[in-house]
Amino acid sequence: MTGSEKKPKRTSQGALILYHGMKLSTMVKLFQLKPSLRWSRWRQIGLMIPFGIYNSIMALVELLLFRNKINKTEIDPNPIFVLGYWRSGTTMLHNLMALDPRYAFPNLYETIFPWHFLSSETINSGLTGWMVPKSRPMDNMEAHWKVPQEDEFAICTMCLVSPYTLPLRPFDLEEWTRSFRIEELPEQDRKLWFDTVKLFMKKLTVRYKKPLVMKSPTHTYRIKAILEMFPNAKFVYIHRNPFDVFNSTLHLRNTLIGENTLGSAYHPNAEENVIDTFLEAYTRYERDRHLIPEGNLVEVKYEELSSDPLTHLEKIYNGLNLGGFDEVRRRLEPQLADHQKYQKNHFQPDRHWQLEVYRRCKEVYDRFGYPAPPSSDSDTAAA
């Protein structure tokens, strides 16, 4: 098959799942959520207790070795947060910004094993690299332990106050969206979330001693909470054609739920839920972006950044007054050829949902200058 006939990429991530980085105490909390369980997932379920024991022991070792250093460490007050709904280009942007040697970012190992990466990563990443597929299960983005990764994985693993509980109960849409709204959580959960984010960022600072570039689509809902912790934080918001986001997010949901669930992957009303959560992310961003200090926010269009990353990354640097772009340019230029060769997923557009996304998200189309759907359904959306 060629061109638009190619099926979107979907491959296995192996037996290792998101929840294998938890301590036993968090796993108990996980099972109190009454996740869906099936015998077909026996390998993933069976590994929970051994991983939980190992993570609990190693977390204690890390506490003994690094507690004083962690407690004394101050997070740089000017972190950078990459915002944008899922499949809007946040990973591409995060990878580009990670080229700057003045900044640090969480990698895959650190987000999967947040409790003990300071003491275990050097040895374990070399021994277990074979467990990580060469690319992500839902697309062709490179994967290995050192690749930049979103911090929400670590937050979920450490405290479960996270929408990434979705694969546990993919039929429970209310449970998985509640942590979008940090200010509405019970005080115990709210404090747990703040403490977890700060602890993870402190541990990263202990390791790298640099300002951090953090990325997670979930932070698009949490600008107020982030500014509560870091009043001078800087933000880059990336946006993309809403229908492309819709198609790609449905594929992402199906893939990641299927790979990380402990039971059924049944996810009802996925199309409606993607539109609802996309609009909520946009609405909350529009509501809260005025809270960001002047000069600390830049917006970028995925389609422009993807076609000319050098030019538009420099615009981001200029907009945030970061300086130091010459070194980033030197590191990025050799990679431009590979960047242009990247193979996106392709989706056959469903005319009903194409029109429905436009009808419900017209404000987003107008705000960012995206065209209305074409008069025919022959074009293919890419992601």
Side-chain angles (χ1 to χ4, degrees):
M1 295 186 294
T2 60
S4 62
E5 296 177 353
K6 289 183 179 179
K7 292 183 178 180
K9 177 182 178 285
R10 178 169 179 175
T11 54
S12 173
Q13 69 184 40
L16 186 67
I17 62 173
L18 168 62
Y19 312 112
H20 286 159
M22 293 178 174
K23 297 190 297 185
L24 277 176
S25 57
T26 315
M27 288 185 181
V28 170
K29 184 178 176 182
L30 180 153
F31 283 106
Q32 288 174 344
L33 293 175
K34 299 180 180 179
S36 171
L37 300 173
R38 285 192 174 179
W39 284 112
S40 59
R41 302 293 288 175
W42 66 269
R43 278 198 309 168
Q44 288 78 4
I45 297 171
L47 287 170
M48 293 287 284
I49 292 179
F51 267 115
I53 293 172
Y54 172 75
N55 294 326
S56 298
I57 293 172
M58 290 303 299
L60 180 59
V61 171
E62 186 135 305
L63 182 64
L64 293 173
L65 293 175
F66 291 96
R67 177 170 51 189
N68 289 338
K69 186 174 288 188
I70 291 171
N71 289 340
K72 293 177 182 178
T73 294
E74 296 291 334
I75 304 168
D76 187 282
N78 306 300
I80 300 172
F81 289 86
V82 173
L83 307 179
Y85 191 77
W86 287 271
R87 310 306 292 168
S88 293
T90 56
T91 297
M92 178 184 68
L93 177 55
H94 196 209
N95 288 346
L96 289 171
M97 299 197 72
L99 293 172
D100 193 329
R102 299 174 302 164
Y103 293 91
F105 53 88
N107 65 35
L108 179 60
Y109 186 93
E110 291 158 350
T111 57
I112 298 297
F113 297 108
W115 287 113
H116 53 77
F117 65 82
L118 290 173
S119 48
S120 69
E121 182 178 0
T122 300
I123 295 175
N124 283 354
S125 61
L127 295 176
T128 61
W130 59 271
M131 298 177 68
V132 183
K134 294 186 181 299
S135 63
R136 301 194 304 182
M138 67 289 194
D139 58 28
N140 293 302
M141 294 293 289
E142 183 183 18
H144 52 76
W145 282 134
K146 296 293 185 181
V147 74
Q149 188 54 266
E150 59 183 273
D151 50 285
E152 190 66 38
F153 286 4
I155 295 169
C156 180
T157 297
M158 296 173 82
C159 72
L160 279 177
V161 183
S162 167
Y164 287 3
T165 58
L166 176 64
L168 299 172
R169 296 172 57 86
F171 48 83
D172 188 348
L173 301 183
E174 183 177 347
E175 167 63 28
W176 93 271
T177 60
R178 73 184 188 97
S179 61
F180 289 165
R181 311 166 198 100
I182 297 298
E183 65 278 6
E184 298 176 12
L185 291 176
E187 181 57 29
Q188 182 178 357
D189 287 345
R190 188 175 183 275
K191 182 178 185 303
L192 179 60
W193 183 85
F194 274 97
D195 291 345
T196 300
V197 173
K198 290 177 181 177
L199 175 59
F200 183 60
M201 292 180 72
K202 276 194 170 191
K203 294 183 70 174
L204 292 172
T205 304
V206 167
R207 162 159 285 183
Y208 297 110
K209 300 176 179 62
K210 297 178 180 180
L212 299 172
V213 179
M214 310 295 281
K215 165 260 181 177
S216 177
T218 53
H219 293 329
T220 312
Y221 302 85
R222 301 165 172 167
I223 292 173
K224 277 186 178 180
I226 291 171
L227 289 172
E228 211 174 308
M229 291 185 286
F230 306 105
N232 200 42
K234 296 179 182 293
F235 299 86
V236 186
Y237 176 77
I238 187 166
H239 54 84
R240 185 183 188 186
N241 184 292
F243 187 59
D244 291 343
V245 171
F246 171 82
N247 279 320
S248 195
T249 302
L250 285 176
H251 177 61
L252 170 71
R253 293 262 192 103
N254 290 334
T255 302
L256 290 191
I257 290 174
E259 290 298 310
N260 290 281
T261 186
L262 299 177
S264 171
Y266 175 59
H267 184 44
N269 304 314
E271 293 87 355
E272 289 289 345
N273 185 254
V274 167
I275 298 174
D276 287 343
T277 53
F278 173 79
L279 282 174
E280 183 175 356
Y282 169 75
T283 300
R284 291 176 74 87
Y285 169 73
E286 287 294 300
R287 184 196 71 186
D288 295 340
R289 65 189 176 95
H290 76 279
L291 301 173
I292 300 171
E294 186 176 354
N296 283 11
L297 170 66
V298 171
E299 296 178 348
V300 61
K301 195 171 190 175
Y302 164 80
E303 291 81 359
E304 294 178 345
L305 182 67
S306 179
S307 63
D308 188 357
L310 195 60
T311 296
H312 293 282
L313 188 61
E314 185 171 14
K315 287 182 179 179
I316 292 171
Y317 267 64
N318 291 339
L320 295 178
N321 196 28
L322 298 178
F325 190 73
D326 288 344
E327 177 61 20
V328 177
R329 181 194 303 276
R330 186 186 69 80
R331 290 169 177 247
L332 177 56
E333 284 178 338
Q335 301 182 24
L336 291 177
D338 290 338
H339 177 85
Q340 295 300 324
K341 292 177 184 177
Y342 176 75
Q343 296 295 311
K344 301 176 183 177
N345 284 329
H346 289 264
F347 303 92
Q348 289 294 335
D350 181 307
R351 187 62 173 167
H352 165 75
W353 288 111
Q354 191 174 34
L355 295 175
E356 183 67 8
V357 170
Y358 179 70
R359 182 185 70 82
R360 293 188 55 190
C361 303
K362 187 176 184 303
E363 181 182 354
V364 184
Y365 281 82
D366 293 344
R367 161 82 159 85
F368 297 117
Y370 290 107
S375 56
S376 68
D377 58 2
S378 59
D379 295 328
T380 298

